[in-house]
């Protein structure tokens, strides 16, 4: 049974560009949450998707947007990249009850 | 929102030593978990422990919900225990608030 899969694993982008990160949830999970982890810090909540709608959002600017597809997979989009967006981006999936949280291995984004 | 503190921030141990990691919460949480992040970035769930005590091999955890803190015990540490340990709380919402982590290095 595959867990949470994220792609790509590593990515290098230039300031001002746009990036799309992808996440496939664990089988049986219908909720996807995205977190940003800057170097040396704990993960910070970006937003959560359930039933193709953004259900909760953390303290991140509108440059961060997302989408959830009917098969529960999700994308995180970041526009107008800044150097400070360089981080490990983690996706987690869970059931609608919020339990069974499972994290993927993350996408390491470097903005140069 | 919830604030999470962890101590110590860094810990260096010789293989075989025991250690205690602490996590304090500013408010009550209904879901508290401990995670281990390996060098490749993978967050592995260690314990779901909103209250009480649990043990899994050399690891155990205790949460005193009324005093808003949790402890993670590592006994007979091994080099493979190295990494960053995070506690995270969820307060009737659907997202975790993470602490800053404790970076553990176990030396052979």
């Amino acid at each position: 049974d595959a867990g949470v899969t994220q792609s790509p694993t590593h990515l290098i982008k230039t300031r001002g560009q746009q990036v799309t990160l992808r996440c496939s949830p664990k089988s049986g999970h219908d909720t996807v949450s995205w977190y940003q982890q800057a170097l040396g810090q704990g993960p910070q909540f970006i937003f959560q998707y359930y039933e193709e709608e953004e259900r909760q959002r953390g303290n991140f600017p509108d440059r961060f947007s997302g989408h959830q597809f009917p098969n529960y997979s999700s994308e995180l989009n970041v526009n107008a990249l800044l150097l400070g967006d360089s981080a490990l981006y983690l996706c987690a999936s869970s059931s609608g009850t919020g339990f069974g949280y499972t994290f993927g291995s993350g996408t390491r984004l470097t903005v140069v | 929102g919830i604030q999470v503190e962890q101590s110590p921030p860094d810990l260096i141990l010789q293989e075989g030593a025991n250690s205690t990691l602490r996590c304090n919460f500013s408010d009550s949480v209904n879901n508290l978990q401990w995670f281990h992040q390996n060098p490749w970035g993978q967050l592995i769930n260690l314990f779901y422990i909103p209250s009480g005590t649990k043990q899994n091999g050399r690891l155990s955890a205790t949460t005193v919900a009324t005093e808003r803190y949790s402890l993670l015990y590592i006994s007979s540490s091994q080099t493979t225990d190295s990494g960053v340990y995070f506690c995270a709380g969820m307060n009737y919402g659907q997202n975790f608030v993470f602490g800053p982590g404790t970076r553990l290095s176990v030396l052979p």
Side-chain angles (χ1 to χ4, degrees), chain A residues 11-16 81-87 109-112:
Chain A
L11 200 54
I12 300 175
K13 288 287 190 178
T14 303
R15 257 184 316 177
L81 284 166
L82 304 174
L83 296 180
D85 295 331
S86 295
L109 172 66
T110 301
V111 182
V112 297

Side-chain angles (χ1 to χ4, degrees), chain A residues 31 33 35 37 40-45 48 55-56 88 90 94-101 103-105 108, chain B residues 30-31 33 35 37 39-45 48 84 86 90 92-101 103:
Chain A
T31 302
S33 304
Y35 290 78
Q37 186 178 16
Q41 299 182 21
Q44 287 197 308
F45 174 70
Q48 182 183 76
R55 180 160 66 175
Q56 287 189 66
L88 179 67
L90 293 162
S94 58
S95 68
T97 61
F99 292 94
Y101 238 74
F103 281 88
S105 297
R108 191 166 298 280
Chain B
N30 71 318
N31 183 342
Q33 297 191 27
F35 294 90
Q37 189 167 41
W40 298 272
Q42 176 81 52
L43 274 171
I44 306 297
N45 180 279
Y48 163 72
V84 184
F86 291 102
M90 187 184 290
Y92 298 100
Q94 297 291 332
N95 61 279
F96 278 111
V97 176
F98 282 79
R103 183 173 300 276

Side-chain angles (χ1 to χ4, degrees), chain B residues 15-64:
Chain B
E15 204 167 21
N18 303 327
S19 61
T20 301
L21 282 57
R22 185 178 177 106
C23 176
N24 292 327
F25 288 83
S26 61
D27 201 352
S28 300
V29 295
N30 71 318
N31 183 342
L32 190 160
Q33 297 191 27
W34 283 93
F35 294 90
H36 176 226
Q37 189 167 41
N38 64 25
W40 298 272
Q42 176 81 52
L43 274 171
I44 306 297
N45 180 279
L46 298 175
F47 293 101
Y48 163 72
I49 187 161
S51 64
T53 297
K54 289 186 178 179
Q55 180 156 8
N56 184 4
R58 297 181 296 102
L59 302 181
S60 64
T62 295
T63 296
V64 183

Side-chain angles (χ1 to χ4, degrees), chain A residues 40-100:
Chain A
Q41 299 182 21
Q44 287 197 308
F45 174 70
I46 302 175
F47 43 53
Q48 182 183 76
Y49 277 84
Y50 173 69
E51 293 188 341
E52 303 180 49
E53 299 271 340
E54 183 182 289
R55 180 160 66 175
Q56 287 189 66
R57 188 179 183 92
N59 188 25
F60 279 80
D62 292 344
R63 298 187 297 107
F64 290 76
S65 63
H67 188 77
Q68 185 179 34
F69 299 93
N71 66 352
Y72 307 121
S73 66
S74 177
E75 289 181 348
L76 163 65
N77 301 293
V78 186
N79 294 322
L81 284 166
L82 304 174
L83 296 180
D85 295 331
S86 295
L88 179 67
Y89 288 85
L90 293 162
C91 169
S93 71
S94 58
S95 68
T97 61
F99 292 94

